[in-house]
Amino acid sequence: PGKTDITDANFPVDGEGRTYHLGTKRGEVANRILSVGSEKRALMLAEYLEPAVPGQGLFMLESSRGFLTITGRYHGTPLSIIVTHMGMANADFVVRENRAVVEGEMAIVRLGTCGALQPPARLGSFVVADPGAMLIRRNPDAFGLEGEQSGVPPYTFSRPIPSDAALSQALQHEAALLLGPEGVCCGLNATADSFYSSQGRSTAWFDDRNESLLADLLCCYPEAVTLEMETAMLLDLARCSRGSIRAAAGVIALADRTSNDFLGADRTQQLERAAGQACLAALAHTQLDDTWGPHHNGST
Ligand code: DUR
């Protein structure tokens, strides 16, 4: 097959072994990954990486779908920063396609942003998803005629999905060193399938029936502190990875969902730098079994 020919629709890769959406192949991605939402954040944090091979530049590849992978070393340890963009489908691409091209056990940390639901999470806090995250989904069945008649609930809540305890602890420890202990907290994350409807935002344009959503959430999960769009997917896939992926997530609260305050751009960037370095340090200090898994056959 030619360079771009795909022969397997079950898990499409091209003739060079490059994945379909991220476009990377084996050898280009480290088994420690920092997943971030925007290219700007990725490039800013790439300033803290050294090239994998001294004298050469960092490895950088942006796929046709806009997923940017940057690979180098942090304090000597191989590490990749990957732009995941937003939402659960993109988190799914990033976890699954990286798993397919990385050898050995993996650690994935997400650095994201979120809305703060209640203390201890406040505007500008860095909040680690410890003990984990649950999922809020909009249920289309509730909005059809039959659903309206039978009272199908418009939103469903999953049970909490755990994060990796050691990696989450390391993330809090490193973040407290860089942001000060008062800037860091932890709690249950709520991951939603929309920025709008399933996060309880309302407009006149759509019938979303979400007026009581945040109150219902806090009634069901009084310990929920953050609201965003990716963490539960990352943790769910790690849980299902047959022990091959350890995952944790930390998010910067840039929206206060009670007062409706929003964090300024300068402060956000400052926090992204500090929290980003905490994520890189937590990843670098994590012990991984590089020989784990079906890829390993003694050679490469
Ligand atoms: N995000 C939210 N909700 C907020 C603030 C931030 O989902 O209130 C995160 C998740 C997503 C992106 O990646 O930021 C949406 O703006």
Side-chain angles (χ1 to χ4, degrees):
K3 216 175 145 175
T4 55
D5 285 345
I6 289 164
T7 52
D8 181 2
N10 179 60
F11 196 92
V13 290
D14 74 5
E16 290 187 327
R18 296 188 177 281
T19 56
Y20 193 48
H21 306 92
L22 271 71
T24 45
K25 63 175 175 143
R26 252 202 247 188
E28 294 178 343
V29 187
N31 57 352
R32 289 172 178 80
I33 292 175
L34 173 59
S35 156
V36 301
S38 79
E39 188 153 318
K40 197 171 150 222
R41 196 180 307 153
L43 292 171
M44 190 167 84
L45 296 178
E47 291 173 18
Y48 301 104
L49 299 188
E50 313 113 39
V53 180
Q56 291 183 6
L58 295 173
F59 172 84
M60 283 205 198
L61 184 99
E62 181 160 354
S63 75
S64 62
R65 296 294 194 172
F67 291 100
L68 172 67
T69 299
I70 306 172
T71 300
R73 290 175 189 269
Y74 182 76
H75 296 174
T77 304
L79 202 147
S80 294
I81 300 175
I82 300 188
V83 180
T84 305
H85 302 291
M86 293 170 285
M88 289 193 283
N90 285 328
D92 188 66
F93 285 137
V94 167
V95 176
R96 291 182 190 271
E97 294 190 8
N98 280 308
R99 181 59 282 182
V101 298
V102 169
E103 301 193 28
E105 196 184 4
M106 295 172 77
I108 307 181
V109 169
R110 155 171 160 80
L111 170 63
T113 59
C114 72
L117 285 167
Q118 60 174 350
R122 330 193 139 69
L123 210 61
S125 303
F126 180 64
V127 193
V128 176
D130 187 4
M134 51 76 67
L135 188 56
I136 310 171
R137 273 164 297 186
R138 189 179 200 271
N139 181 6
D141 291 347
F143 298 87
L145 198 56
E146 276 176 45
E148 301 212 15
Q149 280 162 0
S150 52
V152 174
Y155 297 91
T156 60
F157 297 156
S158 83
R159 299 216 172 132
I161 306 158
S163 58
D164 184 89
L167 194 51
S168 297
Q169 277 294 315
L171 192 51
Q172 286 169 74
H173 174 75
E174 299 293 343
L177 294 177
L178 286 154
L179 291 156
E182 64 293 338
V184 184
C185 62
C186 68
L188 183 69
N189 167 265
T191 297
D193 62 2
S194 165
F195 180 78
Y196 296 102
S197 64
S198 47
Q199 288 188 33
R201 293 185 165 96
S202 57
T203 67
W205 299 108
F206 296 94
D207 168 23
D208 284 319
R209 289 176 227 169
N210 61 356
E211 296 73 17
S212 70
L213 176 66
L214 296 188
D216 296 346
L217 174 69
L218 290 175
C219 186
C220 241
Y221 292 106
E223 68 279 30
V225 285
T226 54
L227 197 47
E228 45 86 282
M229 301 179 66
E230 297 82 10
T231 298
M233 176 59 94
L234 169 61
L235 300 186
D236 180 31
L237 290 173
R239 177 168 66 179
C240 297
S241 70
R242 307 187 194 286
S244 80
I245 302 175
R246 301 173 52 182
V251 283
I252 297 163
L254 53 70
D256 184 317
R257 297 306 311 283
T258 314
S259 66
N260 276 335
D261 287 336
F262 212 85
L263 200 65
D266 285 353
R267 182 73 186 128
T268 306
Q269 219 187 73
Q270 249 178 3
L271 289 170
E272 283 175 335
R273 276 193 188 274
Q277 289 176 81
C279 294
L280 294 169
L283 280 165
H285 294 159
T286 298
Q287 291 296 318
L288 294 176
D289 178 5
D290 292 339
T291 63
W292 186 94
H295 292 308
H296 190 71
N297 58 10
S299 61
T300 27

